[in-house]
Amino acid sequence: EPLAEHYGIPGVRGNRMRKVRLVEEGETGTGILRHASILVSTSNPTRTSPVKRGKWVLEVLLDDAPPPPPPGISGLPEDGISPDGLTLREQLLLHRADPECAACHIQMDALGFALEPFDAVGRPRIEVGGRPVDSLGELPDGRTVDGPRGLRDVLLEQQDRRRFERSLARHLATYALGRGLDRRDEPMLGGLVDNLQEEPTLRR
């Protein structure tokens, strides 16, 4: 009950753990994208971080980790408060004006802003600082992504689906083997991805 209250889930009474449906019957949820452990670990202590969340999507879901930031590049304020009164999105747009930063941020930011409807501990929200949540972003190839369901749909589109399946196969293989993968594992990894393409299920 205290956990349900924290996340604004009505109708839960008592301290026992139980399964709770977070989407209406017939709707399609957003699965791991709304998992609180991920949303917390990709936030700063006092605010969300579209950059960390976008980096997590690239690194974990698309097997496409961006390079580390160039040395000497300063990040945004930890609390997200700008002395000029700029929003987090406006601060990131200024940050992205630096050509050294733009190459990575143009990939990460749109993916991260899609998760802005969840606060730093994963609670749904519709406002940030008195303004409506803005979860719209544009990917480098011109596609737009808006909100967690928009992000889910982008990840399932053909051009990203194989990258997602490869990342899933890589993480499962790493877990199963108890070690990282190297180039000798490429044939095995390719076979796993081909199997997922034919039958996208983990049951076999």
Side-chain angles (χ1 to χ4, degrees):
E1 183 176 351
L3 187 61
E5 186 178 332
H6 177 74
Y7 284 102
I9 301 169
V12 177
R13 297 289 177 264
N15 288 330
R16 66 180 179 84
M17 300 297 288
R18 84 291 311 260
K19 185 176 181 178
V20 176
R21 183 175 292 279
L22 297 179
V23 294
E24 296 298 321
E25 199 69 47
E27 286 189 15
T28 305
T30 50
I32 197 170
L33 294 175
R34 72 171 298 157
H35 204 282
S37 64
I38 290 163
L39 296 167
V40 169
S41 67
T42 55
S43 293
N44 288 343
T46 59
R47 65 164 174 86
T48 60
S49 173
V51 175
K52 289 180 182 178
R53 288 179 173 179
K55 180 178 182 289
W56 180 86
V57 171
L58 284 173
E59 196 170 61
V60 176
L61 298 184
L62 295 176
D63 200 25
D64 189 18
I73 297 294
S74 59
L76 301 183
E78 188 72 19
D79 57 8
I81 297 173
S82 163
D84 303 319
L86 300 176
T87 66
L88 191 57
R89 182 181 286 269
E90 290 165 343
Q91 291 177 63
L92 276 171
L93 282 173
L94 280 178
H95 185 72
R96 213 162 72 190
D98 185 330
E100 287 194 84
C101 303
C104 292
H105 279 278
I106 201 168
Q107 299 180 67
M108 292 187 296
D109 293 357
L111 300 172
F113 273 113
L115 296 174
E116 278 292 277
F118 300 112
D119 72 9
V121 294
R123 290 176 297 204
R125 62 181 181 176
I126 58 173
E127 288 187 348
V128 181
R131 303 183 185 186
V133 168
D134 184 358
S135 59
L136 181 66
E138 183 175 340
L139 299 172
D141 59 10
R143 288 179 294 163
T144 57
V145 54
D146 191 359
R149 289 182 181 167
L151 177 55
R152 175 206 61 197
D153 293 344
V154 162
L155 293 173
L156 293 177
E157 287 179 7
Q158 194 58 44
Q159 59 257 57
D160 286 321
R161 187 177 187 118
R162 188 169 178 91
R163 289 202 295 165
F164 172 73
E165 289 168 347
R166 180 181 173 82
S167 186
L168 175 63
R170 176 182 291 279
H171 282 84
L172 287 173
T174 299
Y175 175 77
L177 297 172
R179 62 169 175 82
L181 305 186
D182 59 33
R183 56 187 175 80
R184 293 169 297 179
D185 297 305
E186 284 298 319
M188 174 270 294
L189 192 57
L192 288 174
V193 175
D194 289 341
N195 286 341
L196 280 171
Q197 291 270 309
E198 292 175 16
E199 187 177 359
T201 178
L202 299 180
R203 291 181 180 176
R204 292 178 56 194

